[in-house]
Amino acid sequence: MVMVRLEAVSKHFANKAAVERVSVEIADGEFFTMVGPSGCGKTTLLRIVAGLERPDQGDVWFGDRRMTDAAPAARELGMVFQNYALYPHLSVLENLAFGLRVRHAPRAEVSARVREVADLLELDGLLDQRPKQLSGGQRQRVALGRAIMRRPRLLLMDEPLSNLDALLRERMRIELRRFHDRLGITTIYVTHDQREATSMSDRLMVMNAGRIEQIGAPEEVLRQPRTAFSATFVGQPPMNVWPASMEVDRGGNARVTDGADTSWTLPGSWPGDSDGPVRVLIGARPHEIDVATGAQGAHLTATVELVERGPGDVTLLHCRHLDHRLIVASRSELGWPAAGTVVGLSLPPERIHLFDGETGSRLLPIHKGPWRGRAQPPQLVEGPVPSPEVTSSNV
Ligand code: ATP
C-alpha cells in the first residue's frame, strides 16, 4: 500500500529551484532514505512532507488523502531533527510527555505511554535526568521517543545521527533499523551520508541539485547506477569514472577507448551513431578492477601514488592512469607496492559501466531483436533499468 506519494513536487526560493518535479511513492512500513550532497533539496522535500513548507507546484498525498495544504498537526507524523530540539529545562519524562500533555490527554494515558516508550528505547533509568546530563546517543533516543509518543503512522528524520561520533553513529544506525523493524512505522530519513543510506534503508532516493538521480534498493543502486552521479555518490570507495569515446559499427559492435593503447569491445549489440565516436564515461568500481599479474590481460597501465589499508584484507591502490585518478581494491598478493610503481590493471569489458558523456545517464546495449544498422544516438535509460549485459555478475 502506498503511504506517501509526491506528485511532481517543485519548490523555489528566490527564483532558485530547491526541488524540481520530484515524484515518488513510499510504501507503508518502508524505511525510505533521501540521500545527496549538501543543498540538493532533501530537507526541503522532508519539510514539504511534514507541512512545514508548501510546494509551489505538485501535490503531497498520504494514502488517498491529498495533504498538500494540510497543517503539520493534521498530518499525524513524528519528526526527529539533527539538533534533537529537546526542552533543556524539562526532564526526560517531561520531554516525552510534553506533546500529549499540551493536548490535555488523560494523565493515566500519558504515563502509560511514557512507560511503554521508555521501555522500548531503554530510557527507564534516565527519566529524571535533564537533557544536558545525557550523552549524545541518549539524547537521540529521547528525541526519537518523543516523536513516537503519539503513535504516528509516519516518522520523518532529518540527519538524526550527524551530531554523534563515528562509533556511536554506527551503533545508532543498527538501533534505528531494529527499532523500525519492531514498530513498522513508515520512515522517511534524510542524510548526506551514503553509508547510512545504504546500510539502513529498504530503498533510497539519490538526489542532486533538486532532482532525482535514482530510486532503488541499495543493492540495485550499487550494482546498476542510473547515472554517473549516482555511481560516484553511492559506494565507498566511490566508483572510478573517467572520459572515453565509443564507436559503434554497423553491426552494433561497440568499441570504447580512453585514449591509451587499449580499447574494449563491449559485449552485446549497441545502438550506433554514423557520425563517428561519441563521448562516454567509463565507470568501474574499485573492486571491479584487478591488478594484472603479467602484461597479458592488462587493459590499463597506471602509476601507484598512494597505498591505503582498506576494510578487511583489502589494499586500496590510489593510482594515476592518463590524467585520471583511479582507486583499485586489491586483495594483494602483490603486497604493498611502493609509490611510483607502474602496474597493469585488468578491467574486462563485461565489468564496465558506461555513461553518456553529455548527460551522465547510464548506457545499455540493445537486448532484443537483430541489429538493423540504423543510425541512432546511444540509448538513454528511462524507467526501471533492465539487467544489463554490460555489467558482470560479480559487480
Ligand atoms: P543540507 O544537507 O545542507 O541541509 P539539503 O539537501 O537538505 O542540504 P535544502 O536545505 O533542502 O538542502 O536546500 C536546498 C536549496 O534550497 C539550497 O540551495 C538552500 O540554500 C535553499 N533553501 C532551503 N531553504 C531555504 C529558505 N528557507 N530560504 C532560501 N533558500 C533556501
Side-chain angles (χ1 to χ4, degrees), residues 13 16-18 36-45 53 159 190 192:
F13 292 108
K16 190 170 164 273
S38 180
C40 72
K42 16 185 225 303
T43 294
T44 303
L45 210 48
E53 300 281 0
E159 304 263 9
V190 158
H192 64 274

Side-chain angles (χ1 to χ4, degrees), residues 77-80 96 142-152 154-156 185:
L77 43 82
M79 277 200 85
V80 182
L96 290 176
V142 178
L144 187 57
R146 208 178 47 176
I148 59 164
M149 277 292 289
R150 291 169 60 210
R151 296 200 173 108
L154 179 62
L155 191 56
L156 308 182
I185 304 179

Side-chain angles (χ1 to χ4, degrees), residues 50-101:
L52 300 169
E53 300 281 0
R54 198 190 178 290
D56 302 330
Q57 276 131 37
D59 276 308
V60 178
W61 297 79
F62 286 5
D64 53 8
R65 286 158 62 207
R66 184 177 169 276
M67 301 299 274
T68 318
D69 301 305
R75 300 191 185 204
E76 297 166 31
L77 43 82
M79 277 200 85
V80 182
F81 300 97
Q82 177 177 351
N83 59 9
Y84 320 137
L86 300 176
Y87 298 109
H89 57 291
L90 300 182
S91 67
V92 168
L93 188 150
E94 289 161 337
N95 263 287
L96 290 176
F98 189 83
L100 285 181
R101 282 192 180 148

Side-chain angles (χ1 to χ4, degrees), residues 4 14 45 56 143 154 187 200 202 234 237 277 287 296 307 310 314 317 324 366 383 386:
V4 177
L45 210 48
D56 302 330
L154 179 62
T187 301
M200 292 198 294
D202 294 316
V234 181
H287 66 270
Q296 265 212 336
V307 184
V314 169
L317 307 181
H324 320 301
I366 296 167

Side-chain angles (χ1 to χ4, degrees), residues 240 242 289 300 317-319 321 324-328 345:
N240 300 297
W242 70 101
I289 304 177
L300 307 165
L317 307 181
H318 296 253
C319 306
H321 162 67
H324 320 301
R325 288 230 159 88
L326 303 185
I327 302 178
V328 178
L345 300 177

Side-chain angles (χ1 to χ4, degrees), residues 167-244:
L167 253 177
L168 190 54
R169 222 166 37 221
E170 200 116 326
R171 220 183 67 211
M172 284 300 291
R173 278 213 298 260
I174 300 166
E175 276 192 28
L176 276 184
R177 179 68 221 204
R178 282 218 319 254
F179 169 79
H180 170 268
D181 291 346
R182 237 179 311 158
L183 292 196
I185 304 179
T186 310
T187 301
I188 307 181
Y189 190 95
V190 158
T191 181
H192 64 274
D193 179 342
Q194 59 86 28
R195 266 203 73 203
E196 229 169 84
T198 49
S199 62
M200 292 198 294
S201 324
D202 294 316
R203 281 188 313 153
L204 42 107
M205 175 162 99
V206 184
M207 292 183 70
N208 179 29
R211 293 172 182 272
I212 299 174
E213 292 276 335
Q214 181 165 16
I215 301 174
E219 187 70 6
E220 186 185 342
V221 176
L222 284 164
R223 278 175 182 253
Q224 299 177 2
R226 277 192 57 174
T227 63
F229 179 88
S230 194
T232 49
F233 193 79
V234 181
Q236 189 59 35
M239 184 184 280
N240 300 297
V241 172
W242 70 101

